[in-house]
Amino acid sequence: MGVPEDLLAAAKQCLSERGYARTTVRDIVAVSGSNLAAINYHFRSKDALLTQAMIEVTGEAVAEVLKAFPDDSKEWFEAFWAELIESFRANPMVWRANVETLAQAPHLPEVRARLAEGQALAQRELAQRLPRQDEAGAQVLLTLFIGLLVRWQIDPDNAPTAHDLAAGIRSVAEVVAG
């Protein structure tokens, strides 16, 4: 691996161990064995490096969730949420750091832009996996995903289950349909 790859791996490790807000450039340098100047040279800033690391780590976690996306159109919705919730349980630091990164977006235009790119990619991926490859449905799923992630960070014991989400969406759809 080269210096950029070492820095990225170190940033991922620091995010999982310390979270976004508590990771310093000195932490990243200590783990990577690199130097402070290398962060600015390769990534322009600590925030840009941490954002890239977060996008990659989140992408890997979401890819695992999407691997479990069932082919049966009647079962996919609840199975998707069940797999996502399991990922929240199995990788709590990844998802906690994700929320911390989201919280930085309003203050850091570069972070906001990168996260917007990541959300657009996630929406396209979700649309391709929906039974009707539906962009509007994917937008709703992504919004629910982010909301569920935040709920899980605040109060996982009272966050909705996969079954709760499926029942709630059916209920809302019935009301909307009239």
Side-chain angles (χ1 to χ4, degrees), residues 78 81 160-168 170:
E78 196 165 331
W81 295 111
T161 65
H163 180 74
D164 294 337
L165 286 165
R170 277 191 220 87

Side-chain angles (χ1 to χ4, degrees), residues 53-107:
M54 181 50 54
I55 287 170
E56 289 186 17
V57 167
T58 302
E60 292 163 7
V62 170
E64 287 301 312
V65 169
L66 292 176
K67 280 182 187 175
F69 217 90
D71 293 331
D72 184 329
S73 63
K74 292 180 182 180
E75 302 296 325
W76 74 267
F77 191 80
E78 196 165 331
F80 169 76
W81 295 111
E83 195 65 32
L84 184 61
I85 289 167
E86 181 53 37
S87 179
F88 292 169
R89 283 189 186 109
N91 304 301
M93 290 302 292
V94 166
W95 294 109
R96 188 172 303 127
N98 195 293
V99 171
E100 290 178 4
T101 306
L102 293 173
Q104 298 302 314
H107 311 290

Side-chain angles (χ1 to χ4, degrees), residues 3-25:
V3 173
E5 294 83 9
D6 291 344
L7 289 168
L8 202 51
K12 289 176 184 180
Q13 180 180 333
C14 290
L15 280 170
S16 71
E17 292 173 356
R18 296 172 180 83
Y20 189 100
R22 289 171 304 288
T23 295
T24 68
V25 290

